[in-house]
Coordinates of all heavy atoms in Angstrom, one line a residue:
K27 N -26.6 10.4 -2.4 CA -25.4 11.4 -2.3 C -25.8 12.6 -1.4 O -26.9 12.7 -0.9 CB -25.1 11.9 -3.7 CG -24.5 10.8 -4.6 CD -24.0 11.3 -5.9 CE -23.3 10.2 -6.7 NZ -22.8 10.6 -8.1
C30 N -27.9 15.3 -3.9 CA -28.8 14.9 -4.9 C -29.3 13.5 -4.5 O -28.8 12.9 -3.5 CB -28.2 14.9 -6.3 SG -26.8 13.8 -6.4
S31 N -30.2 12.9 -5.3 CA -30.7 11.6 -4.9 C -30.1 10.5 -5.6 O -30.6 9.3 -5.6 CB -32.2 11.6 -5.0 OG -32.6 11.9 -6.3
C32 N -28.9 10.7 -6.3 CA -28.2 9.6 -6.9 C -27.7 8.6 -5.9 O -27.4 8.9 -4.8 CB -27.0 10.1 -7.7 SG -27.4 11.1 -9.1
N43 N -24.5 6.6 -12.0 CA -25.1 7.2 -10.8 C -24.8 8.7 -10.8 O -24.1 9.2 -9.9 CB -24.7 6.5 -9.5 CG -25.0 5.1 -9.5 OD1 -26.1 4.7 -10.0 ND2 -24.1 4.3 -8.9
V44 N -25.4 9.4 -11.8 CA -25.1 10.8 -11.9 C -26.4 11.5 -12.3 O -27.3 10.9 -12.9 CB -24.0 11.1 -13.0 CG1 -22.7 10.6 -12.5 CG2 -24.4 10.4 -14.3
C45 N -26.4 12.8 -12.1 CA -27.6 13.7 -12.4 C -27.0 15.1 -12.6 O -25.9 15.4 -12.4 CB -28.6 13.6 -11.3 SG -28.2 14.6 -9.9
P46 N -27.9 16.0 -13.0 CA -27.4 17.4 -13.3 C -26.7 18.0 -12.0 O -25.7 18.7 -12.2 CB -28.7 18.2 -13.6 CG -29.5 17.1 -14.3 CD -29.3 15.9 -13.5
V47 N -27.1 17.6 -10.8 CA -26.5 18.3 -9.6 C -25.1 17.8 -9.5 O -24.2 18.6 -9.4 CB -27.3 17.9 -8.4 CG1 -26.6 18.4 -7.1 CG2 -28.7 18.6 -8.4
C48 N -24.9 16.4 -9.5 CA -23.5 16.0 -9.2 C -22.6 16.0 -10.5 O -21.4 15.9 -10.4 CB -23.5 14.6 -8.6 SG -24.4 13.3 -9.5
L49 N -23.2 16.3 -11.6 CA -22.4 16.5 -12.8 C -22.0 18.0 -12.9 O -21.3 18.4 -13.8 CB -23.2 16.2 -14.1 CG -23.4 14.7 -14.4 CD1 -24.3 14.4 -15.6 CD2 -22.0 14.0 -14.6
A158 N -18.7 11.2 -7.4 CA -18.8 12.7 -7.2 C -20.1 13.0 -6.4 O -21.2 12.6 -6.8 CB -18.8 13.4 -8.5
Ligands
LIG729 ZN1 -26.6 13.2 -8.7

Side-chain angles (χ1 to χ4, degrees):
K27 293 187 180 179
C30 60
S31 55
C32 291
N43 298 324
V44 292
C45 74
V47 172
C48 55
L49 287 175

